[in-house]
Amino acid sequence: MSLIGKSVVRKEAWSKVNGTAKYTGDYFASDALFVEMVKSCYAHAWIQSIDTTEAEKIGGVRAVILGDNLPLIGEEVIDRPPLATKKVRYYGEVVALVVADSYEIAKKAANKLQIEYEPIPIVNSPLEALKKDAPLIHENITAYKKDEGIYPEEGTNIINRTKIRKGNLEKGWNDSEFVMEASFSIPLSDHAAMETRTVLCEIISEEKIHIVTSSQAPYMVKKIIGRDFNISPGRIVVETPLVGGGYGGKASVHLEIFAYIASRAVGGRKVKIVNSREEDIAVSPVHIGLSATIKLGCDSNGKLQAAQLQYIFDGGAYADKAPHLATAGAVDCTGPYKLENITCDSLCVYTNHPYAAPFRGFSHGEVHFAFERAMDLLAKKANIDPLAFREINAIKPGDTTPTQVKVNNSNVGNVKKCIKKLKVLMDWDGGTIKELGKDLVRVKGICCIWKNSTIGPDASSGVVLTFNSDGSINLMSGLVEIGTGTKTVLAQILAEKMRMDVNKIYVRMTVDTQTEPEHWKTVASRGTLMAGRAVMAAADDAIRQLKQMASIVLHAPADDFEVGYEKVFLIDDPKTFIDIKDIAYGYVYPNGNAIGGQIIARGTYMLRGLTNLDPETGAGNPGPEWAVSAQGVEVEFNKRTFEYTIKKAITVMDIGEVLNTKAAEGQLKGAMSMGISWACKEAFYFDENGVLLNPQLRTYRPIRYGEQPEYLVDFVKTPHLEAPYGARGAGEQGLIGMAAALGNALSAAANVSLQSLPLIPENIWKEKRRMNM
């Protein structure tokens, strides 16, 4: 019986239910020292002096660490001092570490540090960063070492500009009957994972640095510490247990650097750092912000003719992953539509804000909010139903993307089918606005989305399988279980390939970089594709070895055997077989002679055919496939108070093939909930000095229990032929369009054009009042 599509219970489910599941915080030992981070109280200031004398006098203080003589660090751009030295660049930036016997002592000593600052003017938004007289966050922006494909601009705050140039824009405007132009803004926000960032580090000897961390990218931790501190990577062992949510925020390497520095300063002793919720929000990497200007044109039939786009991403004080986020926004800048004439400039700029990490959707939620709101505005101007407008322009096989990749039946989903299913689920033809009386209306809003994954052309994943003596299999992958259930899906893929009981596959949930093969990062909805293909390759290796052993024992050619049902049997005579358990550890002949040994199989997979983008046109193949969705919301809106309740949220996704039905539905519904929360509630508020005003969950307010709408999920199945059993990535897609769909619904309900997040009643009221002035 096939396991594809079955709702297999997650492998780690019982341990999470009974409380035995271990997270990073559960690894802390009583002999660990405590580390307190000393944070800047200014967003931009020169550091005049730091006096540690009084702090060092306190009993129980083991070390006070400053940033002198530390190398620059970073992922895509090496631009970040581990501890600020000459100046601070955002409120909450860490300038010193105190290592002590207890948290109370470390906190007391931190308060004794005497730091003199000279405040300097700040850059408080991405638009301010582009002004000619804007303060420079980094004075020598072109001097930093950086990855290929990042283009900083001397004498500015622009760390990267990605260009898309396709077709003839002048022709596009000439062919356009209707044209709209508008600007949109999205503030920085937080990932708000249940588990705050947590790390433990111990330098055991000259041969081993042991780090336990709640990270989505343990191999990147190993790479950055090894590269930037000139340490052999073999010495660094990074362990990641179960992770209590990440959403991209734990893909950045941050606390791990502090923990290594702190352990080194106290002779290698074990140290631990646990972010408070306030530190997780204000100090560690955040969700990127965006300012966008969209100009769109269509002909009299509603066909899109031209797009002129500018996306300005708020990368914060340091680059980290923000330049790549801006590139990803450019790659899919137009949504899933056919458009032949495009100019797009996607910029990543430095500001005096906390620096940005990836966030679920990897800049696509931000770009789609702006573009899909523009689509509704253009449809209104052309007097075309917004859902029909999208169906007219839906991309299809044979069309080309903004980066000039020709799409086919495999590498792109079926947008029109998603739209048609959404139309039925929302009863779109039954009307989009319904008066309920007493100032209440019920309104519908929709959007379409797509997402590719702009990851490095050399990203790879590896899997190792070891057989047990009873024929069961241990599966080891460097993929991190961050709550997605992907490791259970890997077990399903292996069970399907081996034609065996999934309960006889044991998946290692923790990751250890010394013993498990590398998986690039647990991000980008690429775990199932990359690790899944590695599993299939490892299964092929195991099957080859099993057939070879059976051929020796049963005296028949290896090619004449099949593997399945815990046996190796002859294709034309299944009654001639040997149990896998009898050869999993080799085979012993009746006379005592033995051959073979434990079956150990391996498989690797690297994405194929990817290229870098042309720096002038953006042409290139950025990722393996475009997953597409049509999404909608139904909202009850009070026209007098501007309060509203989201009643339904709907996603129809072309998932290729559903591997685990309940897991896929859960991923989409969870992402939809997160997207709604971000759209209607979540935002950072900075004062004129760049100080974050709401770094607590009582003032930074995600959606709460009881505020959730009804969630509906349906699927279209257009297989991605490169992927295991045709499955497309589905970890992020549910989030991407929620802000746009909600913005479209509320704009129709209030009869205004809402162009900024968050969509709180006060902001709707302000826009309505502005229009009536």
Side-chain angles (χ1 to χ4, degrees):
M1 181 184 292
S2 174
L3 283 166
I4 300 305
K6 299 295 188 295
S7 298
V8 173
V9 176
R10 285 164 57 160
K11 290 287 185 177
E12 81 281 16
W14 179 239
S15 67
K16 287 181 174 178
V17 169
N18 66 24
T20 59
K22 282 193 173 185
Y23 295 82
T24 301
D26 298 314
Y27 282 65
F28 290 152
S30 58
D31 60 341
L33 299 175
F34 292 75
V35 180
E36 173 67 9
M37 299 176 290
V38 181
K39 281 87 68 176
S40 167
C41 56
Y42 293 96
H44 204 194
W46 296 110
I47 300 174
Q48 302 287 63
S49 64
I50 303 177
D51 188 343
T52 63
T53 305
E54 294 302 314
E56 290 169 334
K57 290 179 181 178
I58 296 173
V61 171
R62 302 289 178 154
V64 180
I65 308 162
L66 303 181
D68 302 325
N69 303 315
L70 293 175
L72 287 178
I73 59 173
E75 184 167 340
E76 296 180 349
V77 180
I78 301 178
D79 63 349
R80 188 169 93 240
L83 301 171
T85 51
K86 296 179 181 179
K87 73 172 180 176
V88 293
R89 293 179 169 91
Y90 70 94
Y91 173 80
E93 183 172 3
V94 179
V95 298
L97 301 173
V98 177
V99 188
D101 291 341
S102 72
Y103 173 77
E104 291 76 16
I105 293 172
K107 191 80 170 175
K108 181 179 179 181
N111 291 331
K112 291 291 185 180
L113 258 68
Q114 298 176 14
I115 307 175
E116 291 188 10
Y117 296 99
E118 179 189 339
I120 51 181
I122 70 164
V123 174
N124 214 10
S125 76
L127 292 180
E128 286 182 18
L130 294 181
K131 291 180 178 178
K132 288 185 178 180
D133 59 348
L136 294 181
I137 312 300
H138 294 261
E139 291 78 11
N140 299 305
I141 193 170
T142 57
Y144 295 130
K145 293 180 180 178
K146 61 188 183 301
D147 287 352
E148 186 178 355
I150 295 175
Y151 307 103
E153 299 183 8
E154 182 71 46
T156 74
N157 288 309
I158 301 170
I159 187 58
N160 189 36
R161 182 191 296 267
T162 302
K163 300 177 185 177
I164 301 292
R165 303 290 187 267
K166 178 188 175 187
N168 185 327
L169 199 60
E170 183 178 356
K171 179 182 182 300
W173 296 131
N174 289 335
D175 292 342
S176 295
E177 181 72 19
F178 303 100
V179 176
M180 64 70 58
E181 185 170 5
S183 294
F184 304 87
S185 65
I186 299 169
L188 294 170
S189 55
D190 190 49
H191 300 78
M194 187 178 294
E195 176 199 34
T196 63
R197 295 166 176 90
T198 308
V199 64
L200 177 148
C201 180
E202 181 179 16
I203 304 174
I204 296 172
S205 67
E206 286 297 316
E207 297 303 317
K208 185 175 181 181
I209 299 165
H210 184 218
I211 298 170
V212 182
T213 175
S214 57
S215 170
Q216 293 174 245
Y219 297 92
M220 187 57 65
V221 173
K222 178 176 179 174
K223 174 184 175 181
I224 288 179
I225 291 178
R227 180 196 66 194
D228 295 345
F229 289 90
N230 196 26
I231 302 167
S232 169
R235 289 184 55 203
I236 304 167
V237 179
V238 182
E239 187 176 351
T240 295
L242 296 170
V243 174
Y247 314 116
K250 292 175 182 172
S252 294
V253 181
H254 186 227
L255 294 191
E256 298 87 355
I257 304 293
F258 299 151
Y260 166 68
I261 294 168
S263 179
R264 188 178 67 172
V266 291
R269 281 195 59 180
K270 191 180 299 180
V271 301
K272 67 179 178 181
I273 307 175
V274 182
N275 265 358
S276 66
R277 180 58 64 180
E278 290 78 6
E279 288 169 334
D280 220 49
I281 290 174
V283 178
S284 289
V286 301
H287 175 192
I288 204 163
L290 173 68
S291 291
T293 299
I294 309 285
K295 184 179 179 183
L296 282 181
C298 70
D299 64 19
S300 57
N301 295 316
K303 291 187 176 180
L304 292 170
Q305 298 297 322
Q308 187 171 345
L309 315 169
Q310 184 183 58
Y311 297 117
I312 308 167
F313 286 93
D314 186 346
Y318 298 103
D320 199 64
K321 288 296 294 180
H324 196 181
L325 285 160
T327 297
V331 162
D332 291 337
C333 60
T334 62
Y337 307 111
K338 179 181 179 180
L339 242 167
E340 295 302 322
N341 306 300
I342 306 167
T343 293
C344 174
D345 284 271
S346 186
L347 283 65
C348 175
V349 298
Y350 286 127
T351 66
N352 291 119
H353 291 158
Y355 62 93
F359 178 83
R360 197 173 192 172
F362 207 78
S363 78
H364 284 66
E366 297 75 25
V367 165
H368 278 78
F369 172 73
F371 195 86
E372 287 291 313
R373 282 291 300 117
M375 286 287 285
D376 255 35
L377 291 171
L378 185 56
K380 184 176 181 180
K381 199 165 189 178
N383 196 28
I384 300 175
D385 175 86
L387 199 57
F389 186 55
R390 288 164 170 84
E391 189 171 0
I392 290 168
N393 290 289
I395 198 164
K396 61 186 185 302
D399 296 337
T400 57
T401 71
T403 64
Q404 302 178 45
V405 176
K406 182 178 285 190
V407 296
N408 56 47
N409 285 315
S410 172
N411 67 8
V412 73
N414 193 318
V415 183
K416 286 192 175 183
K417 277 192 176 180
C418 292
I419 291 172
K420 287 176 180 177
K421 276 202 171 188
L422 181 71
K423 187 176 184 179
V424 173
L425 287 171
M426 294 191 71
D427 186 24
W428 188 259
D429 290 338
T432 58
I433 300 180
K434 182 179 180 181
E435 296 286 341
L436 302 178
K438 295 184 179 179
D439 298 311
L440 281 180
V441 294
R442 186 156 179 146
V443 63
K444 302 170 184 176
I446 52 88
C447 73
C448 292
I449 69 101
W450 69 346
K451 184 184 185 297
N452 205 330
S453 300
T454 49
I455 59 184
D458 59 347
S460 66
S461 183
V463 162
V464 169
L465 308 175
T466 60
F467 279 67
N468 299 308
S469 59
D470 64 351
S472 61
I473 304 175
N474 305 311
L475 191 162
M476 289 172 285
S477 163
L479 184 125
V480 178
E481 182 50 72
I482 58 173
T484 58
T486 309
K487 286 201 166 180
T488 300
V489 170
L490 297 185
Q492 284 182 257
I493 292 170
L494 179 58
E496 182 75 10
K497 183 78 173 176
M498 299 294 297
R499 291 187 282 183
M500 64 183 292
D501 184 353
V502 72
N503 294 312
K504 292 193 173 182
I505 294 172
Y506 301 96
V507 184
R508 183 172 179 180
M509 287 295 164
T510 60
V511 172
D512 183 323
T513 61
Q514 190 174 46
T515 59
E516 268 140 331
E518 181 168 340
H519 177 80
W520 172 66
K521 291 181 184 178
T522 307
V523 296
S525 301
R526 290 281 76 95
T528 298
L529 169 59
M530 295 175 64
R533 281 291 298 268
V535 165
M536 295 183 81
D540 285 336
D541 185 25
I543 290 168
R544 178 189 58 78
Q545 294 182 54
L546 290 167
K547 287 181 178 181
Q548 187 63 38
M549 283 295 297
S551 74
I552 296 171
V553 174
L554 298 177
H555 307 292
D559 290 342
D560 289 355
F561 288 94
E562 285 283 353
V563 174
Y565 319 105
E566 301 180 53
K567 297 175 170 53
V568 186
F569 55 89
L570 281 173
I571 298 171
D572 59 349
D573 182 15
K575 291 182 179 179
T576 302
F577 68 86
I578 188 166
D579 289 327
I580 288 176
K581 65 181 178 60
D582 293 333
I583 55 175
Y585 268 55
Y587 181 76
V588 180
Y589 289 99
N591 67 359
N593 290 342
I595 59 170
Q598 183 186 18
I599 302 291
I600 301 172
R602 66 176 181 86
T604 60
Y605 179 71
M606 181 174 286
L607 293 170
R608 58 176 170 81
L610 306 190
T611 67
N612 296 319
L613 303 182
D614 183 278
E616 295 303 319
T617 67
N621 186 15
E625 55 93 15
W626 285 263
V628 304
S629 296
Q631 299 184 283
V633 296
E634 293 187 23
V635 179
E636 286 189 3
F637 179 78
N638 189 307
K639 293 188 287 185
R640 182 177 61 84
T641 66
F642 302 95
E643 295 173 299
Y644 63 91
T645 303
I646 305 170
K647 307 301 287 187
K648 285 185 181 180
I650 304 167
T651 293
V652 179
M653 178 182 174
D654 191 333
I655 200 167
E657 181 56 72
V658 181
L659 298 183
N660 185 316
T661 299
K662 288 293 184 184
E665 290 175 352
Q667 278 293 291
L668 284 174
K669 290 177 181 180
M672 291 160 71
S673 171
M674 193 171 178
I676 287 171
S677 182
W678 164 55
C680 69
K681 293 180 178 293
E682 298 184 42
F684 283 165
Y685 298 97
F686 296 92
D687 69 12
E688 66 276 7
N689 297 312
V691 175
L692 180 60
L693 300 176
N694 61 327
Q696 310 94 11
L697 288 182
R698 64 177 178 271
T699 51
Y700 179 91
R701 192 182 184 282
I703 196 169
R704 260 49 166 192
Y705 179 79
E707 297 175 337
Q708 305 282 359
E710 176 188 1
Y711 294 105
L712 299 177
V713 170
D714 202 354
F715 298 113
V716 170
K717 297 182 180 181
T718 307
H720 176 216
L721 300 181
E722 186 181 350
Y725 303 105
R728 299 182 187 276
E732 302 165 284
Q733 283 72 14
L735 178 146
I736 293 170
M738 284 293 103
L742 183 59
N744 288 336
L746 292 172
S747 294
N751 195 26
V752 296
S753 180
L754 299 171
Q755 294 166 204
S756 299
L757 296 183
L759 296 164
I760 59 175
E762 181 182 354
N763 288 346
I764 303 172
W765 169 74
K766 285 179 179 178
E767 184 60 29
K768 188 74 172 179
R769 187 179 66 166
R770 187 190 67 80
M771 286 186 64
N772 292 335
M773 289 177 64

